[in-house]
Amino acid sequence: MQVEARRADDAGGDVLVVPVAEGGRPPAGADSRVADLIASGEAGTGFGETALVSDNGRRLVVAGLGRRADADSIRTAVGGAANETRRVGGSLAYLVDPALAVSIEEQARAAADGLVLGTYDTRQWRSQRPEDRKPFERLVLVGADEVAVAAGARAARVAEWANRARDLSNAPPNELTPERLAERASELAPGGVTVEALDLAQIQALSMGALAGVGQGSHNEPRLIVMRYEPEGAKGDVTLGLVGKAITFDTGGISLKPSLGMENMKGDMSGGAAVVAAICAVADLQIPLRVLAVVAAAENMPGGHAYRPGDILTAANGKTIEITNTDAEGRLVLADALWHAREQGATHVMDLATLTGAMALALGDFYAGAFANDDAWAEQILEAAEASGDHLWRFPLHPRYRRYVKSTYADIKNSSDLREGSPVLAAEFLKEFAGEGPWAHLDIAGPAFLDRSRGDYLWQPGGTGYGVRLIAELASRLAA
């Protein structure tokens, strides 16, 4: 998407978006009709409210920011305006407001996010896609400087990669098997990114009994997808390790899930989708940082060959795991992937996984939960999350939680029969396989795959691409 700046007296664009905070005034240079529309009640300034005026082929959208008037408000305002004028397409202009608490540069980033993410179309698998939408190919930042334009252009590129992650999350499970996910990773990878896909025999040769065990009930064998980006001039002492859970379909295995809503379990690979798209985004932006991505892909299916409650699996680091619930499979595939990332030289590791329903109960669909063994590393991730729009909240790790997964027969068990602290005990489980050095676990169960509209710029159900913007921001900061 092309991003450019124009003066307030030369806005251009097929659609002009004028943001107005609740109780605030229209930006300087706004059409005089904006204030009149608000005063008459024809336009509202509440969060997500839009009012469209058409005049001689020019569309003006008054977009409410609500009381908070933050970056998410701007994302939602632009996304709402773009959908309001989806039959128009072409170019969309956003009138920057220097009076807002959000900087001009951040307004540019938010506008790009809102336009790219807010116009994502989930209908690509229809035999005849409805012709009710024209693409917006240009974002005009009215009253912005070149620094803001560069920030907006960069945000648009990252958001486009987030949309590719959404394509992966939304793909039907008969189409996106573990093998096909590995192929898509190769197809998406830009120059500078190498991709290796380990098959079942190679997984077993590396003694990855946890990943192999989860995948053994399916006719579609598991894959361990390893992607590397090693640019010239990369920061010498940091290799960012990204680990993604990619259960391309999760029935729960023998511990079978309820049938209601099971179709959405195609989205249980959203952590892996984010990792694949994020390393591609880092390479596309030519960020001078070494990145290693390890994605554990498997189907969790019941069947004659499926792993069972009571089985004991041996992970790649030699630890034994008693299986008490086959629906706690994500932590098993992550165990082997985390260990492999550390063995391959990752100095700072972060895993992303749609891991526990309890995290979604705790934080809903807006925040993900974070756990970390290093305060400085956690703070870097949290700051990148807030700056990117992928919101994150830190939860505690404590060795006392280890007792929840203490096994009578093995080194550790994969779940607890107590309905207490399940996201924390899952993190404590993963910590056993994270190796030495900074590590963080992001439980993205809530915001990564939506059962319904979130009521903002992520208004479509399905994959959101959560984590791609966060990782791109984090990588930029690590490389600085």
Side-chain angles (χ1 to χ4, degrees):
M1 176 180 292
Q2 182 181 350
V3 181
E4 63 184 59
R6 288 194 181 179
R7 301 187 313 272
D9 59 355
D10 182 28
D14 298 296
V15 177
L16 173 63
V17 181
V18 180
V20 186
E22 189 171 330
R25 297 179 179 179
D31 191 304
S32 60
R33 289 177 297 174
V34 173
D36 294 339
L37 289 166
I38 295 171
S40 68
E42 295 177 67
T45 58
F47 179 83
E49 289 190 85
T50 56
L52 172 64
V53 178
S54 183
D55 182 19
N56 295 324
R58 181 74 180 278
R59 287 86 179 174
L60 171 70
V61 180
V62 181
L65 301 180
R67 293 182 181 180
R68 191 178 180 93
D70 59 6
D72 278 332
S73 301
I74 295 169
R75 294 180 180 105
T76 301
V78 173
N83 281 292
E84 185 79 19
T85 56
R86 61 187 177 276
R87 294 179 183 274
V88 178
S91 60
L92 182 144
Y94 169 81
L95 181 58
V96 169
D97 186 354
L100 293 178
V102 185
S103 71
I104 292 177
E105 183 178 338
E106 289 304 306
Q107 288 185 55
R109 291 179 58 172
D113 277 347
L115 183 54
V116 176
L117 298 174
T119 56
Y120 177 81
D121 196 344
T122 61
R123 302 171 298 178
Q124 57 188 283
W125 287 275
R126 295 191 181 184
S127 59
Q128 294 183 339
R129 189 182 296 189
E131 296 182 1
D132 61 352
R133 181 182 295 277
K134 294 181 181 178
F136 284 98
E137 298 173 340
R138 185 158 53 100
L139 173 63
V140 180
L141 299 169
V142 182
D145 57 20
E146 291 305 313
V147 173
V149 168
R154 181 186 184 281
R157 289 168 68 182
V158 174
E160 285 164 357
W161 282 109
N163 278 348
R164 292 185 179 105
R166 298 168 87 175
D167 289 341
L168 295 175
S169 293
N170 292 333
N174 61 320
E175 175 182 305
L176 196 76
T177 62
E179 181 180 11
R180 181 57 184 146
L181 177 59
E183 292 170 353
R184 287 294 293 135
S186 293
E187 292 163 4
L188 289 171
V193 176
T194 62
V195 184
E196 180 183 16
L198 307 185
D199 61 19
L200 178 59
Q202 292 169 303
I203 289 168
Q204 292 171 330
L206 291 171
S207 301
M208 294 184 173
L211 172 56
V214 171
Q216 71 189 39
S218 174
H219 293 296
N220 296 307
E221 294 183 350
R223 291 290 185 273
L224 188 76
I225 305 164
V226 182
M227 306 175 73
R228 291 180 172 86
Y229 173 60
E230 298 180 347
E232 293 184 9
K235 192 168 183 177
D237 58 348
V238 174
T239 296
L240 175 61
L242 303 173
V243 175
K245 170 192 172 184
I247 302 297
T248 56
F249 192 72
D250 183 19
T251 67
I254 289 176
S255 304
L256 193 67
K257 292 179 180 292
S259 60
L260 184 64
M262 194 188 287
E263 68 275 10
N264 287 335
M265 287 300 100
K266 66 181 183 179
D268 207 18
M269 43 66 67
S270 295
V275 165
V276 168
I279 190 173
C280 293
V282 170
D284 184 31
L285 295 173
Q286 298 183 338
I287 298 173
L289 181 76
R290 282 188 298 272
V291 183
L292 168 69
V294 180
V295 177
E299 284 185 344
N300 187 24
M301 301 286 285
H305 295 288
Y307 77 127
R308 297 151 292 214
D311 283 358
I312 294 179
L313 307 179
T314 304
N317 68 347
K319 291 190 177 183
T320 58
I321 307 166
E322 179 191 4
I323 305 304
T324 57
N325 184 346
T326 64
D327 195 25
E329 85 298 327
R331 65 203 68 179
L332 297 174
V333 303
L334 288 173
D336 282 337
L338 281 167
W339 187 253
H340 191 70
R342 195 69 82 177
E343 289 287 285
Q344 294 296 305
T347 60
H348 295 67
V349 176
M350 180 172 67
D351 72 74
L352 291 86
T354 49
L355 207 65
T356 67
M359 184 57 74
L361 289 174
L363 295 177
D365 57 13
F366 192 63
Y367 274 82
F371 303 82
N373 65 354
D374 182 276
D375 289 342
W377 181 227
E379 191 60 29
Q380 286 180 291
I381 294 169
L382 290 167
E383 289 175 357
E386 195 57 30
S388 70
D390 282 338
H391 300 292
L392 191 62
W393 196 265
R394 190 178 182 187
F395 279 71
L397 278 174
H398 195 286
R400 291 294 299 278
Y401 282 100
R402 176 63 168 77
R403 73 190 189 280
Y404 282 90
V405 287
K406 182 179 180 181
S407 170
T408 301
Y409 306 103
D411 294 328
I412 195 170
K413 63 182 180 181
N414 76 323
S415 70
S416 169
D417 56 2
L418 301 174
R419 296 176 63 83
E420 298 176 357
S422 60
V424 188
L425 68 88
E428 285 292 340
F429 178 97
L430 292 175
K431 186 180 177 182
E432 301 275 328
F433 305 91
E436 298 296 325
W439 156 77
H441 160 57
L442 273 56
D443 190 335
I444 63 175
F449 195 93
L450 306 179
D451 295 333
R452 59 194 177 280
S453 173
R454 207 170 76 173
D456 59 7
Y457 64 102
L458 296 174
W459 60 272
Q460 310 94 326
T464 66
Y466 181 95
V468 177
R469 291 179 294 166
L470 188 163
I471 292 168
E473 180 69 24
L474 177 64
S476 295
R477 293 174 178 226
L478 291 173

